[in-house]
Amino acid sequence: MEDQTQREQASPEVQARIRDSFERQGLMRLLGAQLAHIALGRVHIVLPSRPEVTQQHGYFHAGATSAIADTAGGYAGFTLFPEDTAVLTVEYKINLLAPAEGDHIEAVGTVLKSGRTLTVCRLEVFGVQGSRRTLVATGQQTLICVDARPEQ
Amino acid sequence: MEDQTQREQASPEVQARIRDSFERQGLMRLLGAQLAHIALGRVHIVLPSRPEVTQQHGYFHAGATSAIADTAGGYAGFTLFPEDTAVLTVEYKINLLAPAEGDHIEAVGTVLKSGRTLTVCRLEVFGVQGSRRTLVATGQQTLICVDARPEQ
Amino acid sequence: MEDQTQREQASPEVQARIRDSFERQGLMRLLGAQLAHIALGRVHIVLPSRPEVTQQHGYFHAGATSAIADTAGGYAGFTLFPEDTAVLTVEYKINLLAPAEGDHIEAVGTVLKSGRTLTVCRLEVFGVQGSRRTLVATGQQTLICVDARPEQ
Amino acid sequence: MEDQTQREQASPEVQARIRDSFERQGLMRLLGAQLAHIALGRVHIVLPSRPEVTQQHGYFHAGATSAIADTAGGYAGFTLFPEDTAVLTVEYKINLLAPAEGDHIEAVGTVLKSGRTLTVCRLEVFGVQGSRRTLVATGQQTLICVDARPEQ
């Protein structure tokens, strides 16, 4: 498993491009979310538990769950985009399967179909408590690849 | 319009129940979101612009947009629920129509169909700059009404 | 209402383009669906009740409901597309709100946002029995406009 | 693979319950769809190619693709329901990834999370041409389990 993960790791250039973009996301910093893994076509984002990201019953807020799921999917698609492009979320749909709790939650965005214009990702979020890992949300997302060359 | 809004305002008990619940949401406080209007079957939530809620291009992050949309829909459904119940989001789908920008964004959750177990809401988010109001996201959400009586 | 409908009627060219395309849809003929109205950005499709379009409890099958909803939305978007283009459904989401029954069901596709590449529509399906009209399904759809010029 | 499929095959009672329900679906008969496999938590439905199930460009119509996907998911959930219950689709979302073509298309509905009231399924549809199998649609579905005991 470790080996496979290593093999599929995105190139240093792609990783740098994504880390750089991630750091410009004020919301990810505000939430305390962290990029945990960047593979080609798959990105993991982790969000540690703290009162600031909860809903009224003390679980992770669906908005926080969705925010890191959407971001993981967006960057998963972005790993496969050509240079001088940017990624925008067209839409996503997410089912909240179980109360999101644990030491942290981990979102995994995985490209299902990568096209020239549109990319479709699967979104999964797990609640992680020690070695226990529970699927708390699952979704599907459509991304669009747009030109990001500076205007001349 | 003002009159209609007055007429449809939720009762003081319902408003108090929702304000109380909203204040327990750590994420809404962290984002800086505010309950702007509570009508029967319709709730508005406002999120002022600031760098902490942006994505990498400086617009409101889709995660922030979705978080207030999901919350507005959840409380819109909740205004119609019986006492001693709680609301959970089953799932939602959202299209990001345009870059979300402005002084603030405003999410409007509106009940389309209220059932005993399930409720379906429309979600809309507007970017507001002075008197200009642009639809930046539109979605659809399924809620479930669950028993919240204290166990005996 | 009648006047407004007249004013917003699509041009004869657009109507002909859509009727021609609709007639080439084997599935619409198989189901017995009919184009009922073609306005700019809004198309209505009607499906009369018969045993061949039911599910196991005798209501209209969600598959039939969805098929005419998807088609109504697709053509609603198509009314606003430039010549020499075609429409493809990227994705849609639909909530089945109530058992679909009546003399016929009527799907209404309405453009919410029309872009150069992507268009987002609202989908609604009503069960119609005499003068009673019940919303039985509501959805949201993303379309893409693709080049349909013959290759040279 | 064959062995695993055998092991996970649903019981004869469950299979009979689903085949009986499927046969009462007028739409599945009209389309020419067939139940291909019934495992616990997973159902396959096949639809052979013919002009009656096409859209305007000659591919399988998204409405036909969705109809068998929705039905496969519904029965996948139903394999896990208790006796004297029925299944209703609450909502589903589907992305059309590629033109649906081939000798036949095959929908696979798989339960992701089975709850007492709600069940969430993954929907996949493949275009099959000889030994080539292409993912043409992927979706996610919410089902509800309702009481179906005869009233007394």
Side-chain angles (χ1 to χ4, degrees):
Chain A
M1 189 63 190
E2 181 62 19
D3 283 2
Q4 189 192 348
T5 303
Q6 292 302 323
R7 269 205 310 281
E8 66 176 12
Q9 198 114 2
S11 72
E13 290 72 23
V14 167
Q15 296 216 25
R17 191 163 59 147
I18 286 175
R19 293 193 184 283
D20 179 59
S21 169
F22 188 85
E23 277 161 27
R24 291 201 308 278
Q25 295 208 359
L27 183 67
M28 291 296 109
R29 202 180 317 119
L30 181 69
L31 294 175
Q34 298 147 20
L35 267 170
H37 188 68
I38 306 171
L40 282 173
R42 183 162 49 77
V43 165
H44 299 226
I45 293 176
V46 157
L47 178 63
S49 175
R50 57 193 188 111
E52 287 84 357
V53 296
T54 57
Q55 37 85 293
Q56 69 274 28
H57 308 116
Y59 300 114
F60 284 88
H61 195 290
T65 304
S66 303
I68 63 167
D70 171 47
T71 305
Y75 285 128
F78 195 48
T79 61
L80 304 176
F81 284 10
E83 275 190 61
D84 291 326
T85 61
V87 59
L88 294 175
T89 298
V90 172
E91 60 84 37
Y92 67 87
K93 178 256 205 290
I94 192 161
N95 277 72
L96 291 320
L97 301 177
E101 54 184 336
D103 297 327
H104 64 271
I105 54 174
E106 177 174 0
V108 183
T110 308
V111 174
L112 291 177
K113 167 75 189 272
S114 177
R116 199 166 51 85
T117 305
L118 298 178
T119 289
V120 177
C121 291
R122 173 170 303 152
L123 309 178
E124 293 168 299
V125 185
F126 301 88
V128 184
Q129 179 73 51
S131 64
R132 209 186 45 196
R133 199 175 159 85
T134 309
L135 185 67
V136 298
T138 182
Q140 201 165 293
Q141 179 194 45
T142 309
L143 305 170
I144 189 165
C145 176
V146 296
D147 193 341
R149 280 171 299 187
E151 293 175 36
Q152 301 185 334
Chain B
M1 189 62 191
E2 181 61 21
D3 283 0
Q4 191 192 346
T5 303
Q6 293 302 323
R7 270 205 310 281
E8 65 176 14
Q9 198 114 3
S11 72
E13 292 72 24
V14 167
Q15 296 216 25
R17 190 163 59 144
I18 287 175
R19 292 192 185 282
D20 180 58
S21 169
F22 187 84
E23 276 162 27
R24 291 201 309 277
Q25 295 207 0
L27 182 67
M28 290 297 109
R29 202 179 318 118
L30 181 69
L31 294 175
Q34 298 148 19
L35 268 169
H37 188 69
I38 306 172
L40 282 173
R42 183 163 50 77
V43 165
H44 298 226
I45 293 176
V46 158
L47 177 63
S49 175
R50 55 192 189 112
E52 287 83 357
V53 295
T54 56
Q55 35 86 293
Q56 69 276 28
H57 308 116
Y59 300 113
F60 284 89
H61 194 290
T65 304
S66 303
I68 63 166
D70 172 46
T71 305
Y75 285 128
F78 195 48
T79 61
L80 304 177
F81 284 10
E83 275 190 61
D84 291 325
T85 60
V87 59
L88 294 175
T89 298
V90 173
E91 59 85 37
Y92 67 87
K93 178 258 205 290
I94 192 161
N95 277 72
L96 291 320
L97 301 176
E101 55 183 335
D103 296 328
H104 64 270
I105 55 175
E106 177 174 0
V108 182
T110 308
V111 173
L112 291 178
K113 167 76 189 273
S114 176
R116 199 166 51 84
T117 305
L118 299 178
T119 289
V120 176
C121 291
R122 174 170 300 153
L123 309 177
E124 293 169 299
V125 185
F126 301 88
V128 184
Q129 179 73 51
S131 64
R132 210 186 44 195
R133 199 175 158 85
T134 309
L135 185 66
V136 298
T138 182
Q140 201 165 292
Q141 179 193 44
T142 309
L143 304 170
I144 189 165
C145 177
V146 296
D147 193 341
R149 279 172 300 188
E151 294 174 36
Q152 300 183 337
Chain C
M1 188 65 190
E2 180 62 21
D3 284 1
Q4 191 194 346
T5 303
Q6 292 302 322
R7 269 206 310 280
E8 66 176 12
Q9 198 113 4
S11 72
E13 291 71 25
V14 167
Q15 297 215 25
R17 191 164 58 146
I18 287 175
R19 293 192 185 283
D20 179 58
S21 169
F22 187 84
E23 277 162 26
R24 290 201 310 277
Q25 295 207 359
L27 182 67
M28 290 297 109
R29 202 180 316 119
L30 181 69
L31 294 175
Q34 297 148 20
L35 268 169
H37 187 68
I38 306 171
L40 281 173
R42 184 163 49 78
V43 165
H44 299 227
I45 293 176
V46 158
L47 177 62
S49 175
R50 56 193 189 112
E52 288 83 357
V53 295
T54 57
Q55 36 85 293
Q56 68 274 27
H57 307 118
Y59 299 113
F60 284 88
H61 194 290
T65 304
S66 303
I68 64 167
D70 171 48
T71 305
Y75 285 129
F78 195 49
T79 61
L80 304 176
F81 284 8
E83 274 190 62
D84 292 324
T85 60
V87 59
L88 294 175
T89 297
V90 172
E91 60 83 38
Y92 68 88
K93 178 257 204 290
I94 192 161
N95 277 72
L96 291 321
L97 302 175
E101 55 184 334
D103 296 328
H104 65 271
I105 54 174
E106 178 173 0
V108 182
T110 308
V111 174
L112 292 177
K113 168 75 189 274
S114 176
R116 200 167 49 86
T117 305
L118 298 178
T119 289
V120 177
C121 291
R122 174 170 301 151
L123 310 177
E124 294 168 300
V125 185
F126 301 89
V128 185
Q129 179 74 49
S131 64
R132 208 186 44 198
R133 198 174 160 85
T134 309
L135 185 66
V136 297
T138 182
Q140 201 165 295
Q141 178 193 46
T142 309
L143 305 169
I144 189 165
C145 176
V146 297
D147 193 340
R149 280 172 300 187
E151 294 175 35
Q152 298 184 338
Chain D
M1 188 63 191
E2 181 61 22
D3 284 359
Q4 190 194 348
T5 303
Q6 292 302 322
R7 270 205 309 281
E8 66 176 11
Q9 197 115 3
S11 72
E13 291 72 22
V14 167
Q15 296 216 25
R17 192 164 57 146
I18 287 175
R19 291 192 186 285
D20 179 59
S21 170
F22 188 85
E23 277 163 26
R24 291 201 309 279
Q25 295 207 0
L27 183 67
M28 289 297 109
R29 201 180 317 118
L30 180 69
L31 293 175
Q34 298 148 21
L35 268 170
H37 188 69
I38 306 171
L40 282 173
R42 183 163 50 76
V43 165
H44 298 226
I45 293 176
V46 157
L47 178 62
S49 176
R50 56 192 188 111
E52 287 83 357
V53 294
T54 57
Q55 35 85 293
Q56 69 275 26
H57 308 117
Y59 299 113
F60 284 88
H61 194 290
T65 304
S66 304
I68 63 166
D70 171 48
T71 305
Y75 285 128
F78 195 49
T79 61
L80 305 177
F81 284 10
E83 275 190 61
D84 292 324
T85 60
V87 59
L88 294 176
T89 298
V90 173
E91 61 84 37
Y92 67 87
K93 178 257 204 289
I94 193 162
N95 276 72
L96 291 321
L97 301 176
E101 55 183 335
D103 295 329
H104 64 270
I105 55 174
E106 177 173 0
V108 182
T110 308
V111 173
L112 291 178
K113 168 75 188 273
S114 176
R116 200 166 50 86
T117 305
L118 299 178
T119 290
V120 177
C121 291
R122 174 169 300 151
L123 310 177
E124 293 168 300
V125 185
F126 300 89
V128 184
Q129 179 74 48
S131 63
R132 209 186 45 197
R133 199 174 159 86
T134 309
L135 185 67
V136 298
T138 182
Q140 201 165 294
Q141 178 194 45
T142 309
L143 305 170
I144 190 165
C145 176
V146 297
D147 193 341
R149 280 172 300 188
E151 295 175 35
Q152 299 183 338

